[in-house]
Amino acid sequence: GQQVQQSPASLVLQEGENAELQCNFSSTATRLQWFYQRPGGSLVSLLYNPSGTKHTGRLTSTTVTKERRSSLHISSSQTTDSGTYFCAMEPAGGYKVVFGSGTRLLVSP
Amino acid sequence: GGIITQTPKFLIGQEGQKLTLKCQQNFNHDTMYWYRQDSGKGLRLIYYSITENDLQKGDLSEGYDASREKKSSFSLTVTSAQKNEMAVFLCASSRTGDAEQFFGPGTRLTVL
């Protein structure tokens, strides 16, 4: 089946440090989206980025479709960035979006 | 903009019971999805629907039924609740099958 691998599984940073989250997938993606989830919360869409580079606030996502990978860069992390970040992709030819297992980020003051 | 609402927020049932979860969206999106999220894990697709009255099985459809009664609503039924089914069920929608997804707040299921 389709695989989405996220790394690292967890990350601990000091406030102000940058974070780099990776997402690798096993087939060509027609949809690639990054989500954020607080413990017990719902999923919030951060960036929809099937190819190229997109920015919003302190977030930058770069997706290289040919290499089947995407990254999410968080600059100047804040304690409120703590939570789990999910990458989700849809393989070409289908609606079945596949989620990675997430990267748990903890930003300490 | 729009919003996705899920009811109920918390659902407690007995083992063997049939339980129904509801989802409404006012984005006027064609495609809707139901996912299950176990504690500390990623999401797994149960069912999706690309238009009214359409139903497509995801990877986790066994033990569940779904119904797309109209474009704006998508229901999920747990046909016989089991204790290992305790999880959060998340509904999502997207304009088309390859567009950005938006999620509802979730229904937390507890089976006694």
Side-chain angles (χ1 to χ4, degrees):
Chain A
Q2 308 299 337
Q3 295 284 334
V4 178
Q5 303 286 345
Q6 287 189 247
S7 59
S10 61
L11 187 57
V12 180
L13 298 175
Q14 287 245 289
E15 200 164 27
E17 291 181 324
N18 298 332
E20 187 85 15
L21 284 59
Q22 301 291 341
C23 176
N24 291 277
F25 32 95
S26 60
S27 63
T28 305
T30 57
R31 168 163 50 183
L32 193 295
Q33 196 167 352
W34 284 93
F35 292 92
Y36 166 74
Q37 187 179 40
R38 279 192 194 283
S42 187
L43 269 73
V44 175
S45 177
L46 296 174
L47 281 163
Y48 176 70
N49 186 26
S51 67
T53 298
K54 289 203 173 166
H55 308 270
T56 183
R58 295 181 291 107
L59 304 178
T60 302
S61 170
T62 299
T63 299
V64 183
T65 314
K66 269 196 305 192
E67 295 179 15
R68 300 178 182 174
R69 61 178 174 86
S70 181
S71 64
L72 180 69
H73 181 87
I74 306 171
S75 62
S76 304
S77 62
Q78 300 173 1
T79 55
T80 50
D81 294 332
S82 297
T84 303
Y85 291 78
F86 290 100
C87 162
M89 64 80 77
E90 178 188 326
Y95 286 77
K96 290 189 178 183
V97 176
V98 181
F99 279 74
S101 300
T103 291
R104 285 156 193 77
L105 174 65
L106 177 63
V107 182
S108 55
Chain B
I3 192 167
I4 298 178
T5 54
Q6 290 188 238
T7 54
K9 192 172 168 71
F10 298 96
L11 180 57
I12 300 174
Q14 301 281 342
E15 203 164 17
Q17 238 183 333
K18 185 173 169 180
L19 303 167
T20 298
L21 293 70
K22 292 188 182 294
C23 176
Q24 299 263 359
Q25 53 96 1
N26 64 1
F27 286 100
N28 199 34
H29 284 166
D30 286 315
T31 309
M32 295 185 75
Y33 311 78
W34 274 107
Y35 292 93
R36 170 178 160 166
Q37 185 179 30
D38 292 288
S39 181
K41 302 279 171 73
L43 278 69
R44 291 183 288 172
L45 182 64
I46 306 173
Y47 269 98
Y48 65 98
S49 167
I50 60 175
T51 189
E52 187 177 333
N53 293 320
D54 175 72
L55 278 181
Q56 306 286 340
K57 290 184 178 181
D59 296 326
L60 204 64
S61 60
E62 192 166 330
Y64 302 95
D65 284 328
S67 173
R68 184 82 182 272
E69 306 91 359
K70 46 188 179 179
K71 188 176 182 180
S72 62
S73 68
F74 194 28
S75 301
L76 180 73
T77 298
V78 180
T79 54
S80 176
Q82 304 298 315
K83 288 204 173 167
N84 63 4
E85 244 161 345
M86 293 197 286
V88 175
F89 291 81
L90 291 160
C91 174
S93 72
S94 63
R95 185 171 45 82
T96 60
D98 61 353
E100 186 175 4
Q101 278 188 322
F102 298 89
F103 276 79
T107 292
R108 184 173 294 275
L109 174 65
T110 301
V111 182
L112 301 176

